[in-house]
Amino acid sequence: MKTAGIICEYNPLHLGHAGHIEKTRQALDGDCAVICVMSGNFVQRGDFAIFNKYARAKAALQCGADLVVELPLPYALSSAEGFANAGVYILDRLGVCDYISFGSESGDIGTLSEAAEAIASKKADILTKEWLDKGLSYAAAQQRAADAVLGARSEVFKYPNNLLGIEYLKAIKAYESPMKPMTVKRSSDEHDGETGLSSFVLRKALMRGDKPWGVMPDAAVMVYMEEIAAGRGPVFINQCELAILSRLRSAKNMSELPGAAEGLEHRLMRYAETEPTFEGILEKVKTKRYTMSRLRRMLLCSCLGITAADTQKPPPYIKVMAVNHTGMKVLANARKKTRLPIITKPASVKSLSGRASDLFNKEAAATDFYVLSYKGENNRYGGQEWRQTPWRE
């Protein structure tokens, strides 16, 4: 049986995501196990996940995945490059993944591979740094470099899923991984806010109190409705705003945060001490050079004790969040091949040491912080990371 990996957030999972899983299987003649590497309770745009990680993992399993493992917190709150690198590393180190599948606006792996090769070239690197020195954001600097290196073909860099796919391709090459990349074309209606098949639009709808269930798989809807009924969702960052502000105002030093550079950490400290809202801090700090997502990630990393050192080395373990019968077979095979610890129950953590143990402790503390956003008071108890076992089907 072939095995394909998907790096995801499913925040929340909609019909486009389920379609990606199904199209991946179809492309491999249906004989395929699907492994998802999914971010946890905090997501790459610098936000709280709309539903907790075990609920989202359960939804993924019921909508086509066979095994869901966690992308640890520091990497989930990283740039696109850091996010992609860690996801690819986990899939590669499992030792059983034949393919990595991702959605893209291009839908052409050849075009994306050419773009990845070009942007990783020495010329592109020099040009990117030159534009960064002129005050452009990384994304804008990279686009200028791509324009110079690829000409009209640099159009591929203007679309977010293409960009993430290019980062996956760069990581596969950097790790000299035998995994073969494949891409599923995202048609316009799969990420067009007007049709509702957009996680961003769905989060906004849930924030308004709407029930956008028609554009989600029924199995995912059932999971989300159970979370809402239990008082565990939907979760929004403003529900934890006072706790966030308290931590930011007590922060002593932000110079060790991921992304801290050129005095940005001092601007964050300055406004974190005075502004009355999370969004207010962001509005004061933002400039053309720094994307809002980067600033949001830095502030959350400050709250959660994440430093740049936490991301300088790859993930030290693989943690399982959901698994079915097929996934159990994949896991059994992975245990024979991987050199990373595979955590399937809290007791497994006792065998961790050094950096792996420290990272799990930070993950546990972050979960304790996340649950403070729940509406249901009886769900806010501490230590949940130490009690939760993978969801099994």
Side-chain angles (χ1 to χ4, degrees):
M1 177 185 290
K2 303 180 183 72
T3 304
I6 295 174
I7 302 167
C8 60
E9 293 194 309
Y10 297 158
N11 187 39
L13 189 149
H14 55 61
L15 290 171
H17 295 135
H20 175 208
I21 295 173
E22 180 58 29
K23 289 174 184 176
T24 297
R25 274 208 172 87
Q26 290 174 357
L28 298 174
D29 301 321
D31 183 25
C32 171
V34 174
I35 305 171
C36 289
V37 179
M38 193 187 75
S39 55
N41 288 329
F42 298 88
V43 293
Q44 201 264 335
R45 67 184 298 270
D47 207 348
F48 285 46
I50 195 81
F51 295 105
N52 74 65
K53 57 189 178 184
Y54 282 98
R56 292 177 10 258
K58 178 180 179 180
L61 207 69
Q62 295 193 339
C63 293
D66 297 298
L67 172 65
V68 184
V69 301
E70 184 172 9
L71 182 66
L73 176 67
Y75 313 98
L77 284 176
S78 290
S79 65
E81 182 179 21
F83 179 93
N85 269 327
V88 170
Y89 181 85
I90 288 172
L91 288 173
D92 180 65
R93 290 308 188 268
L94 272 169
V96 295
C97 200
D98 303 303
Y99 298 86
I100 179 168
S101 176
F102 57 88
S104 68
E105 291 85 358
S106 166
D108 185 341
I109 203 71
T111 298
L112 295 172
S113 296
E114 179 190 30
E117 191 77 26
I119 206 62
S121 67
K122 185 175 181 180
K123 179 180 179 180
D125 186 52
I126 293 171
L127 290 172
T128 299
K129 290 177 179 176
E130 287 179 357
W131 284 110
L132 283 172
D133 290 341
K134 294 179 181 179
L136 269 65
S137 68
Y138 179 79
Q142 186 182 58
Q143 182 66 59
R144 294 289 184 94
D147 290 342
V149 175
L150 287 170
R153 292 170 295 171
S154 68
E155 182 78 11
V156 70
F157 283 89
K158 295 182 178 179
Y159 300 95
N161 294 291
N162 285 348
L163 281 173
L164 198 50
I166 288 167
E167 294 298 341
Y168 296 145
L169 293 169
K170 287 166 58 181
I172 289 171
K173 182 176 181 180
Y175 290 125
E176 298 181 345
S177 173
M179 293 188 299
K180 298 176 182 178
M182 56 186 292
T183 187
V184 173
K185 184 175 177 60
R186 295 192 63 169
S187 60
S188 60
D189 65 346
E190 285 184 340
H191 56 279
D192 184 346
E194 294 181 3
T195 66
L197 276 178
S198 156
S199 291
F200 175 79
V201 171
L202 294 180
R203 290 193 299 272
K204 288 293 185 182
L206 288 165
M207 184 177 287
R208 292 193 303 268
D210 296 342
K211 297 177 180 179
W213 307 137
V215 292
M216 300 182 191
D218 290 343
V221 171
M222 292 298 294
V223 174
Y224 300 150
M225 289 179 68
E226 289 173 1
E227 292 300 298
I228 292 170
R232 293 189 296 263
V235 168
F236 307 106
I237 196 168
N238 60 0
Q239 294 167 197
C240 221
E241 185 169 49
L242 294 181
I244 291 171
L245 291 174
S246 176
R247 289 199 175 186
L248 291 176
R249 289 184 182 182
S250 62
K252 303 300 181 184
N253 185 5
M254 293 188 178
S255 63
E256 296 182 355
L257 292 178
E262 302 166 337
L264 176 58
E265 64 274 18
H266 301 306
R267 287 173 58 83
L268 287 172
M269 284 284 292
R270 173 186 172 188
Y271 291 112
E273 291 173 353
T274 59
E275 289 302 305
T277 65
F278 185 77
E279 292 298 326
I281 299 170
L282 294 170
E283 287 297 324
K284 290 288 187 179
V285 177
K286 75 174 183 179
T287 67
K288 290 182 179 179
R289 184 178 181 91
Y290 305 115
T291 64
M292 195 65 84
S293 292
R294 176 178 176 178
L295 299 178
R296 293 172 69 93
R297 288 194 297 269
M298 289 181 70
L299 289 177
L300 280 183
C301 282
S302 179
C303 288
L304 302 172
I306 302 302
T307 68
D310 292 320
T311 62
Q312 287 172 356
K313 293 182 179 180
Y317 57 74
I318 298 170
K319 182 185 174 189
V320 177
M321 294 196 293
V323 61
N324 63 15
H325 181 68
T326 298
M328 289 294 289
K329 293 181 179 179
V330 172
L331 266 183
N333 192 22
R335 288 186 186 280
K336 300 173 185 176
K337 298 183 178 182
T338 186
R339 287 175 291 175
L340 291 179
I342 296 179
I343 300 173
T344 55
K345 52 187 177 181
S348 305
V349 178
K350 295 178 181 178
S351 65
L352 300 180
S353 60
R355 180 169 170 266
S357 178
D358 291 342
L359 178 57
F360 190 90
N361 283 322
K362 286 192 176 185
E363 196 83 56
T367 294
D368 283 347
F369 192 71
Y370 176 86
V371 301
L372 295 178
S373 63
Y374 288 161
K375 294 179 181 178
E377 294 179 3
N378 61 320
N379 293 310
R380 297 178 193 156
Y381 61 89
Q384 294 189 31
E385 196 74 24
W386 299 98
R387 298 180 176 91
Q388 184 70 58
T389 56
W391 190 84
R392 297 173 185 257
E393 185 180 59

